Amino acid sequence: MSCNSKPKRIGVFIIGERHLKADRDKVSGILRYSGTHPDWEVRLFNRAPSGADRSAARLDGAILSSADTAGLLKLARCHVFLDDPRAPAGSVNIDDREVGRTAAEFLLKRGHKSLAYVGTNRPGLDRHARLRMDEFAHCAKAGGASL
């Protein structure tokens, strides 16, 4: 089976100390999406499988929470990491600029003319917040709103 073939058994690994709401939201989105594919079997893991669990997994694909889980690559034929630029393989990322643009457009379409952006400067999340804020500000100003 190549990575281009449709996977049947998918493992989602959210492992480590990073049990952020964002991780839970990603898992929720994966589960919703898999619900539209009745031939998919999704297994959630909050720890690395060991011994018998490893052989039982026999996954066609793995979705990994961070590069810290790279040791699990042998568990599946195809892998993708969630939003981790350190990943040794492909990584699926949120389009942070689109998030900022969508938020600004949403408010502008409803006639709001004075907008504010509230973000975070938490380490690890500040990169996302900066991209979202920059695009939000750009679109708000282009739409005639004040910040």
Side-chain angles (χ1 to χ4, degrees), residues 32-101:
R32 272 194 312 277
Y33 182 77
S34 70
T36 66
H37 293 81
D39 57 335
W40 285 21
E41 177 187 337
V42 177
R43 294 183 64 192
L44 300 177
F45 297 88
N46 62 4
R47 62 178 175 77
S50 61
D53 289 343
R54 270 189 189 266
S55 61
R58 290 191 198 104
L59 301 169
D60 296 311
I63 300 170
L64 304 157
S65 61
S66 75
D68 299 331
T69 57
L72 301 171
L73 291 176
K74 295 176 186 168
L75 291 177
R77 295 181 203 137
C78 304
H79 336 86
V80 66
F81 288 85
L82 292 175
D83 197 24
D84 193 330
R86 304 170 301 137
S91 179
V92 177
N93 301 300
I94 295 169
D95 185 342
D96 291 301
R97 292 189 184 283
E98 182 65 24
V99 170
R101 181 175 27 261

Side-chain angles (χ1 to χ4, degrees), residues 123-141:
L125 297 177
D126 54 346
R127 170 179 61 97
H128 298 285
R130 171 59 63 187
L131 291 170
R132 291 174 185 191
M133 182 181 68
D134 289 349
E135 192 64 23
F136 180 89
H138 172 76
C139 288
K141 288 177 185 173

Side-chain angles (χ1 to χ4, degrees), residues 12-30:
V12 180
F13 297 85
I14 304 293
I15 298 174
E17 300 299 318
R18 292 184 53 227
H19 296 293
L20 301 173
K21 182 183 181 312
D23 287 334
R24 290 190 305 272
D25 290 347
K26 291 171 190 173
V27 169
S28 178
I30 292 165

